[in-house]
């Protein structure tokens, strides 16, 4: 081992010498030109990457646990036939051409979709994906809405006051899922309830600006009841049923913000 | 009978479930398993009990970390199914062969599974036949805690010598040394696993406790069987050897006597209390009152990056003495090429170092242990990425786990709760509980001060009718903060005092009632019974456990016993447990922040406030990020 290493070292130093000699023979002009070319190409590559990043194709699926994000994720990807889902422990993430668009002709830009688990212990994961998001989908369980209304509103409040969301004005879609069932609440109702609940949260949250989950931004205008129209980013609502595959409004949202 | 066997991704997609078994599971055992065991960093345990109306299941699981798959078997608890572990291992092995991330349907696995199940059952049958007598000595101490607390008792008892077992395998030399470490770890964990799971009705068993009763999973047996079948039964021969390529190494079962847990070091708190409180009063007077620190943002120092790197290096040096021996060349090569798959033995040194580091930060030992096991379970079999070291991989996994634990499961926005209660025209009731001398009254006053600042009408209820001077102490705070106090002297039953206080509060329109209770040792049965009564009678909105940030191993005992007693001594069928934690004396502990982790892990309740000084303003929220950073430093 040791000997081998010694040999290697010798060889390397020899090669270095050779290279040095060669460099001396080349006229300085050419050297500068070569250096310039190298610098130029790296700059070009870097800027290309930068451009790419600003045009993100990431859509983040969020929402409480059990709202149906994972079902929707696979519906978007496979138009799926699967056996059901369980509580997610890790995000699902994939880049693909939406299943609804696979029959379309021409070149379509694939979308990067991330399904972030809704379990509150796993929420810190969200911060990893938000900075690159072109759009956020907040999935709400329209069937079992009222018992979860407060929890959903709190989650949504945190989302809407996150620095990364406010600064970049990332558009958000409130997707009322499970509308295949007749007892599901309407999106208008859900929107109103969420607004009401967030309005109450505003009072308590602005008071408790904790060092931890710093809500750097406050929501809405003081003295006025909260409405989503007051948000700096656009907040829209839509219906869907992940289970039966009625997700056309979601697909529209995605294509609006990730151009094909 | 096996009820169900499921294969799903960590992302939550069910890839395969046994159609043939087909029984609809009662309740949702899988989701409960994930939420209250796997996501609570308890995946190091061996089985999980789930109770739903009309069903009591046991669940066992195994991970394929590299592919991100989870395999779960569900069976009726009363049937000690012997082949479950074996079957899970076989299914894991076979399924990983056919797994393809883009595929979501695996109907062709039905046939393979059928075969695997028959084989596993046959093996279990054979084991039974060849060893009908149960060996008495190999029962491990069982530490089962029912999640609802009503039956939480430590079962099983003494650890017996395992002599008989050793002999019956007939080849005791094999693997005697290399498993030593392993066993010790396991031993310690089983001994200490009196953790309360906080799901619904749940218990986590120590490893092997069901199966080892029958000795069916004893490796010795398998070996014996193997040699036997090599001689005679050809049919089972290949089956057995196929199934247990690794386990065939005999485990060296030498149990250390369990050291008695010493938890008697809190006798002198009572006197301290009185003295300290006097000091505090003076301090309160002296300090200018300002904004409560609850409302101030903490500026996070972001100098972590380079620091962390240094730490990594340290860990490397400490943790891997044997890695050094291998020489830098091979280890560098390893880190460049990426190692095949992480094995338990690879992780051990790094985990050991991490555990020690956590313990120097005052994390209770059994909790550090459990965490390490859980991290190990999530890393085993994973591929090490290129240019990473094991220690940093382990550290990153631990960091994620810590963040997960410390992130509250539910909202801790008390003000919102207060407003909600106000809408219902009910006062919001907070009961402060804890052992003696942790600073209950003082921190109650701080909370009152913080609530006052947010235009909440507060009332205090002096329900410490036990310790003399307690009422006066609270009265002083009340006078200084100019808030009403409800008191009834010393002779009364605290539960009744609290009840009257709440009635008074609804009369005079107070929004919040802060109930001070007597400090009590977790083992003091009469006092704990009184507390349980107080809570049952008044049904408070928040039961806040006040604990000192100074405690180490005792944190676990205090909190688990409090919860336990509250559950056991409660007359109600659905007992109230601790909802939140207030950590006191946080300013005195420097970087020994482990109690925060221990308490949260053991109770599942979030840290809602942190008391960090002597004045009314010294009340903060827990900063998860900085705690995690400190813990891993
Ligand atoms: N009726 C109906 N049920 C649905 C629909 N979408 C999802 N579900 C059900 O809702 C449950 C939860 O769905 P998941 O997709 O696993 O929920 P999730 O949002 O991914 O939850 P986490 O991973 O825990 O965050 C499943 O039992 C689904 O069958 C729907 O459109 N209609
Ligand atoms: Mg999911």
């Amino acid at each position: 081992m040791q000997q081998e290493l010694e040999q290697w070292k010798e060889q390397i130093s020899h090669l270095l010498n050779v290279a040095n000699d060669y460099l001396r023979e080349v006229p300085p002009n050419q050297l500068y030109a070569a250096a310039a070319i190298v610098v130029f190409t790296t700059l070009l590559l870097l800027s290309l990457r930068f451009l790419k990043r600003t045009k993100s194709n990431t859509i983040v699926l969020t929402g409480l646990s059990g709202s149906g994000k994972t079902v929707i994720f696979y519906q978007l990807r496979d138009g799926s036939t699967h056996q059901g889902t369980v509580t997610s422990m890790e995000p699902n993430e994939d880049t693909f051409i939406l299943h609804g668009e696979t029959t379309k002709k021409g070149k379509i830009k694939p979308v990067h979709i991330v399904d972030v688990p809704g379990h509150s212990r796993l929420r810190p994961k969200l911060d990893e994906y938000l900075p690159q998001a072109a759009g956020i989908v907040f999935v709400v369980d329209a069937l079992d809405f009222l018992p979860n209304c407060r929890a959903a509103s709190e989650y949504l409040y945190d989302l809407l006051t996150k620095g990364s969301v406010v600064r970049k004005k990332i558009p958000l879609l409130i997707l009322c899922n499970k509308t295949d069932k007749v007892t599901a609440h309407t999106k208008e109702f859900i929107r109103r309830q969420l607004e009401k609940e967030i309005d109450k949260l505003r009072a308590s949250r602005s008071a408790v600006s904790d060092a931890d989950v710093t809500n750097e931004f406050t929501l809405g205008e003081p003295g006025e009841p909260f409405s989503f129209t007051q948000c700096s980013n656009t907040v829209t609502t839509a219906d869907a049923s992940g289970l039966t595959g009625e997700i056309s409004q979601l697909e529209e949202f995605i294509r609006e913000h990730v151009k094909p | 009978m096996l009820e169900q066997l499921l294969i799903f991704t960590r992302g939550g997609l069910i890839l395969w479930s046994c159609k043939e078994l087909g029984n609809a599971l009662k309740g949702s055992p899988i989701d409960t398993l994930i939420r209250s065991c796997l996501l609570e960093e308890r995946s190091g345990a061996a089985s999980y009990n789930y109770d739903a109306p009309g069903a009591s299941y046991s669940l066992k699981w195994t991970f394929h970390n590299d592919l991100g798959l989870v395999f779960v078997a569900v069976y009726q608890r009363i049937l000690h199914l012997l082949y479950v572990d074996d079957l899970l291992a076989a299914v894991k092995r076979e399924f990983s062969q056919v797994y393809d991330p883009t595929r979501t349907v695996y109907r062709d696995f039905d046939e393979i599974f059928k075969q695997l199940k028959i084989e596993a059952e046959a093996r279990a049958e054979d084991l039974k036949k060849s060893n009908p007598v149960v060996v008495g000595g190999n029962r491990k101490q069982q530490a089962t805690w029912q999640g609802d607390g009503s039956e939480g008792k430590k079962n099983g008892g003494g650890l017996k010598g395992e002599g008989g077992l050793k002999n019956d395998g007939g080849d005791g030399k094999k693997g005697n040394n290399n498993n030593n470490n392993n066993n010790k770890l396991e031993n310690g964990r089983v001994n200490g696993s009196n953790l309360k799971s906080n799901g619904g009705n749940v218990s986590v068993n120590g490893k092997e406790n069901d199966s080892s009763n029958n000795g069916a999973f004893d490796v010795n047996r398998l070996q014996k069987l193997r040699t036997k079948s090599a001689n005679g039964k050809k049919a089972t021969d290949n089956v057995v050897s196929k199934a247990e390529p690794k386990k065939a190494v005999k485990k060296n079962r030498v149990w250390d006597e369990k050291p008695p847990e010493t938890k008697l070091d809190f006798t002198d708190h009572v006197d301290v209390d009185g003295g300290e409180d006097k000091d505090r009063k003076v301090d309160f007077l002296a300090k200018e009152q300002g904004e409560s620190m609850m409302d101030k943002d903490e500026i996070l120092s972001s100098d972590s990056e380079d620091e962390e790197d240094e730490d990594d290096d340290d860990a490397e040096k400490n943790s891997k003495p044997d890695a050094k021996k291998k020489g830098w060349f091979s280890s560098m090569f390893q880190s460049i090429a990426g190692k095949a798959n992480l094995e338990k033995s690879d992780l051990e040194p790094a985990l050991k170092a991490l555990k020690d580091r956590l313990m120097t930060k005052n994390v209770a030992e059994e909790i550090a242990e459990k965490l390490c096991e859980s991290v190990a379970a999530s890393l085993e079999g994973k591929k090490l990425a290129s240019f990473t070291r094991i220690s940093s991989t382990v550290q990153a996994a631990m960091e994620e786990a810590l963040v997960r634990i410390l992130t509250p499961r539910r909202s801790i926005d008390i003000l919102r709760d207060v407003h909600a209660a106000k809408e219902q025209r009910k006062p919001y009731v907070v009961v402060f509980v804890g052992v003696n001398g942790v600073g209950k009254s003082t921190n109650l006053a701080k909370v009152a001060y913080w609530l006052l600042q947010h235009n909440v009408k507060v009332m205090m209820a002096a329900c410490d009718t036990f310790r003399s001077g307690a009422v006066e102490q609270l009265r002083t705070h009340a006078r200084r903060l100019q808030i009403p106090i409800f008191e009834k002297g010393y002779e009364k039953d605290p539960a009744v005092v609290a009840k009257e206080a709440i009635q008074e509060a609804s009369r005079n329109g107070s929004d919040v009632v802060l109930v001070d209770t007597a400090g009590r040792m977790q083992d003091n049965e009469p006092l704990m019974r009184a507390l349980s009564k107080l809570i049952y009678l008044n049904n408070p909105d928040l039961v806040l456990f006040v604990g000192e940030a100074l405690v180490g191993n005792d944190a676990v005992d205090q909190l688990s016993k409090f919860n336990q007693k509250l559950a056991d001594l409660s007359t109600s069928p659905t007992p109230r447990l601790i909802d939140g934690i207030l950590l006191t004396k946080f300013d005195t502990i420097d970087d020994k922040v482990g109690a925060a982790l221990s308490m949260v892990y053991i109770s599942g309740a979030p840290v809602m406030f942190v008391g960090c000084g002597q004045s009314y303003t010294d009340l903060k929220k827990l900063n998860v990020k900085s705690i995690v950073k400190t813990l891993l430093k």
Side-chain angles (χ1 to χ4, degrees), chain A residues 65 83-90 92 120-122 125 150 154 197 200 204-205 207 209-210 212, chain B residues 10-12 14 17 31 35 40 107 295 297 400 404-405 407 409 411 413 416-417 454 621 623-624:
Chain A
S65 186
Q83 323 209 5
T85 55
V86 294
T87 305
S88 307
M89 290 188 271
E90 267 170 25
N92 291 299
S120 51
R121 295 249 195 247
L122 299 172
K125 276 261 174 245
R150 213 181 124 189
E154 275 168 12
E197 199 52 50
K200 290 176 198 159
S204 64
R205 283 301 165 91
S209 55
D210 30 353
D212 215 19
Chain B
R10 289 181 77 86
I14 299 177
S17 66
D31 281 337
R35 285 178 197 176
E40 298 284 326
R107 281 279 63 100
D295 303 332
D297 285 354
E400 278 199 12
R404 266 203 300 273
I405 294 171
T407 307
R409 238 186 334 194
S411 154
D413 185 353
R416 175 69 194 93
D417 291 327
H454 295 294
K621 288 222 158 171
N623 186 329
V624 175

Side-chain angles (χ1 to χ4, degrees), chain B residues 38-55:
Chain B
L38 304 187
L39 286 179
E40 298 284 326
E41 306 310 318
R42 282 162 169 83
S43 42
S47 73
Y48 175 85
N49 290 346
Y50 175 82
D51 289 297

Side-chain angles (χ1 to χ4, degrees), chain B residues 206-218:
Chain B
K207 220 155 211 156
E208 287 176 30
N209 54 11
D210 310 329
S211 48
S212 58
N213 288 348
N214 302 324
F217 273 93
D218 199 306

Side-chain angles (χ1 to χ4, degrees), chain B residues 299-311 626 629 633:
Chain B
I299 295 144
L300 255 178
S301 56
S302 52
D303 54 353
S304 55
E305 296 311 302
D306 34 7
E307 232 173 66
E308 260 163 33
D309 263 19
E310 277 171 34
D311 290 338
S626 79
K629 203 186 289 170
K633 204 152 62 185

Side-chain angles (χ1 to χ4, degrees), chain A residues 20-175:
Chain A
N20 229 349
D21 290 346
Y22 180 75
L23 273 181
R24 257 178 235 150
E25 276 165 29
V26 180
N29 275 5
Q30 276 181 28
L31 253 180
Y32 290 139
I37 287 170
V38 168
V39 168
F40 183 74
T41 41
T42 42
L43 275 178
L44 196 77
L45 282 176
L46 272 177
S47 59
L48 266 182
R49 243 182 99 179
F50 196 73
L51 275 178
K52 235 186 193 166
R53 198 172 279 167
T54 48
K55 264 199 176 169
S56 147
N57 64 339
T58 302
I59 298 285
V60 180
L61 294 173
T62 64
L64 294 183
S65 186
S67 53
K69 297 177 295 297
T70 309
V71 171
I72 290 174
F73 176 87
Y74 283 100
Q75 192 63 252
L76 285 171
R77 197 186 81 168
D78 306 332
S80 56
T81 41
H82 54 73
Q83 323 209 5
T85 55
V86 294
T87 305
S88 307
M89 290 188 271
E90 267 170 25
N92 291 299
E93 175 176 11
D94 205 351
T95 307
F96 51 83
I97 292 167
L98 300 182
H99 183 77
E101 294 175 339
T102 42
T103 49
K104 277 191 195 157
K105 276 180 214 128
K107 205 170 166 285
I108 304 170
K109 190 177 167 193
V111 192
H112 178 219
I113 300 218
V114 188
D115 153 33
V116 186
H119 193 280
S120 51
R121 295 249 195 247
L122 299 172
R123 293 217 187 132
K125 276 261 174 245
L126 193 61
D127 296 329
E128 289 172 25
Y129 297 103
L130 284 183
Q132 35 168 327
I136 303 170
V137 180
F138 186 80
V139 185
V140 179
D141 183 344
L143 206 56
D144 203 18
F145 173 67
L146 284 177
N148 295 317
C149 177
R150 213 181 124 189
S153 309
E154 275 168 12
Y155 195 3
L156 188 56
Y157 182 94
D158 289 339
L159 207 56
L160 287 174
T161 50
K162 280 223 159 76
S164 44
V165 177
V166 176
R167 261 184 245 115
K168 286 196 176 169
K169 295 197 172 49
I170 305 176
L172 186 138
L173 176 75
I174 298 172
L175 190 68

